[in-house]
Amino acid sequence: VPALENFGFRVIDTIPTTLETAREKLGSVHDFVLALGGGQPLDVLGHAPIIEDALTAMLNGAGEDDAFNRLIVGTGLSAREANWLRAFYRYLRQTGLNYTINTAVDALMHAPFVTLGLVDLFRARHQPGMAGREGAEALAEAAIRDGLAKVSGINDDRLLRSFRAVVLAVLRTNAFVDSGHEALALKFDSALVPGLPKPLPWREIFVYARRVEG
């Protein structure tokens, strides 16, 4: 089942149960036996409600069905947080970054402390009413820096540093209000984004949703 595979699970068996009355067949319920593609089973069980919410949103058409869902299972991100990273990647693709989505997600999965640090940094810089903003930002930056020191692959390093640069380039966002659930908007200081072709715009607003990006 591709949707489950995008969450990092592998389906190894399915058990259908037919629902029917004496007059008609109503349908079937399928139980899936899954193998975990990565991470520890106890860790995954610990954030089962987050995974359930993300799966429900995806099946109801309110969430994306792509490899970024692996971060929900592998690192414990919420679907909303994984979507922030998804939007950063989509923006980077438009700036000319040519790594595939699987390569980007692999880099984030292999460096979970960097991944969590990126989310914490974005939250520290932009969540309204956050207490101790400067301290939270410093802690997130330290987590990213320490995590990057342990990354050995040059492609992973480049990707993760690109994500960090994009987070630092965001000036404003609607990520923490209701409209951000429908379409995520990110206002960038374009001069802080590495690799943008010249002439550089003064500012950019990138909008990402399931049906549109640009």
Side-chain angles (χ1 to χ4, degrees):
V1 180
L4 289 171
E5 291 172 359
N6 278 333
F7 277 82
F9 296 113
R10 182 165 52 88
V11 178
I12 58 178
D13 196 10
T14 179
I15 305 167
T17 301
T18 301
L19 303 177
E20 57 186 336
T21 67
R23 296 181 180 180
E24 61 180 335
K25 182 176 180 181
L26 302 176
S28 300
V29 174
H30 292 266
D31 290 318
F32 295 100
V33 181
L34 307 176
L36 186 60
Q40 299 298 318
L42 289 179
D43 293 338
V44 173
L45 288 174
H47 50 261
I50 297 173
I51 299 171
E52 285 184 24
D53 288 345
L55 270 169
T56 300
M58 183 272 297
L59 292 171
N60 289 332
E64 290 277 19
D65 182 14
D66 65 19
F68 274 89
N69 289 333
R70 287 165 49 201
L71 299 174
I72 299 169
V73 176
T75 66
L77 296 184
S78 68
R80 191 178 189 185
E81 292 166 339
N83 198 53
W84 298 343
L85 296 174
R86 180 184 286 114
F88 297 148
Y89 169 75
R90 296 294 187 184
Y91 172 72
L92 284 167
R93 287 284 292 177
Q94 293 203 12
T95 69
L97 191 78
N98 59 4
Y99 291 106
T100 67
I101 186 171
N102 285 321
T103 301
V105 172
D106 284 344
L108 292 164
M109 287 284 290
H110 294 157
F113 291 109
V114 176
T115 301
L116 295 173
L118 291 168
V119 169
D120 288 344
L121 181 60
F122 183 67
R123 190 182 299 279
R125 290 170 66 88
H126 298 289
Q127 181 169 304
M130 186 171 189
R133 189 180 302 278
E134 291 184 0
E137 187 172 343
L139 286 173
E141 283 274 39
I144 294 170
R145 182 175 60 253
D146 293 344
L148 285 171
K150 300 175 184 178
V151 175
S152 57
I154 188 169
N155 288 334
D156 284 7
D157 185 82
R158 182 186 175 196
L159 274 162
L160 295 170
R161 290 183 187 276
S162 295
F163 273 99
R164 176 182 176 273
V166 166
V167 172
L168 292 175
V170 175
L171 297 175
R172 296 184 68 185
T173 180
N174 69 342
F176 299 96
V177 297
D178 290 343
S179 61
H181 290 284
E182 297 298 324
L184 180 64
L186 302 162
K187 182 179 181 179
F188 291 104
D189 180 348
S190 305
L192 299 180
V193 179
L196 276 184
K198 296 182 179 181
L200 294 178
W202 181 60
R203 297 289 187 265
E204 290 179 283
I205 296 177
F206 179 75
V207 177
Y208 178 76
R210 285 198 318 116
R211 296 183 179 183
V212 65
E213 65 179 85

